[in-house]
Amino acid sequence: MKSYRRIAIFGPTGAGKTTLALKLSQKLDLNCYHLDKYFFKENWEPREKTEFQKILKELVNEDNWIIDGSMISSFELRFQRADLIIYYALSRLKCIFRILKRTYFDDRKHIDDRAQNCPERLNWELFKYMWRYHARVMPIIENL
């Protein structure tokens, strides 16, 4: 694992991407970036696509990193530079359990994975996004 200097982790909401990214970054001494922190502005407002792409280009051009996130729009840039790509493909039911667990039972204050004023949220859109994730990404992954 020590030979990997740029690792892309992706998967559905609740899969455990952030936890894995943090553990690997500590073990391998790599910079760790969570895309939700860069994709969203305050109150879960998405950045303009060009602004996010500029930020993403700066991150992937660094010498070492682990970048976790589910944003399909980030795949091509991350995958082009990554030494290792990890698709964290957990079952939908496990993801639902983990979403509920982190929302109601976990104290994630030690994890700096979100933009300012973006508290943990639980809504129908989040579950729909997670539920359809595998079907949306598989054709894109195969193409890339």
Side-chain angles (χ1 to χ4, degrees):
M1 282 294 286
K2 295 246 183 225
S3 64
Y4 298 118
R5 304 305 302 156
R6 293 178 301 275
I7 301 172
I9 302 173
F10 73 103
T13 303
K17 300 176 300 293
T18 297
T19 302
L20 177 63
L22 288 170
K23 288 179 180 179
L24 284 176
S25 72
Q26 291 168 355
K27 187 171 186 90
L28 302 173
D29 192 30
L30 299 174
N31 297 324
C32 187
Y33 302 109
H34 311 288
L35 286 186
D36 278 351
K37 188 172 183 170
Y38 301 95
F39 182 79
F40 293 103
K41 296 188 280 190
E42 288 193 53
N43 300 312
W44 296 106
E45 181 185 338
R47 291 186 188 280
E48 293 292 325
K49 184 176 181 175
T50 54
E51 182 183 5
F52 174 65
Q53 290 295 317
K54 181 181 178 203
I55 293 168
L56 182 61
K57 284 178 186 176
E58 290 173 7
L59 296 177
V60 299
N61 283 326
E62 291 187 13
D63 291 332
N64 77 73
W65 46 259
I66 295 178
I67 301 176
D68 84 79
S70 60
M71 289 93 182
I72 294 169
S73 65
S74 73
F75 284 1
E76 191 168 356
L77 279 174
R78 284 196 287 161
F79 293 3
Q80 285 174 351
R81 290 270 299 151
D83 300 320
L84 177 66
I85 300 168
I86 300 172
Y87 179 22
Y88 220 166
L90 270 62
S91 74
R92 292 171 174 155
L93 293 179
K94 189 156 197 156
C95 289
I96 288 172
F97 172 77
R98 286 182 168 188
I99 291 168
L100 294 172
K101 181 178 173 242
R102 80 174 184 212
T103 301
Y104 294 113
F105 302 107
D106 283 355
D107 177 17
R108 295 172 51 100
K109 291 182 178 119
H110 66 285
I111 300 175
D112 186 23
D113 65 337
R114 293 189 209 113
Q116 192 171 7
N117 293 323
C118 290
E120 189 67 54
R121 64 181 181 173
L122 194 60
N123 59 42
W124 185 243
E125 291 303 313
L126 182 69
F127 284 109
K128 283 193 323 189
Y129 183 82
M130 180 278 306
W131 195 262
R132 297 177 182 156
Y133 190 78
H134 296 298
R136 278 196 326 274
V137 301
M138 288 314 293
I140 295 163
I141 294 168
E142 290 171 4
N143 186 43
L144 289 173

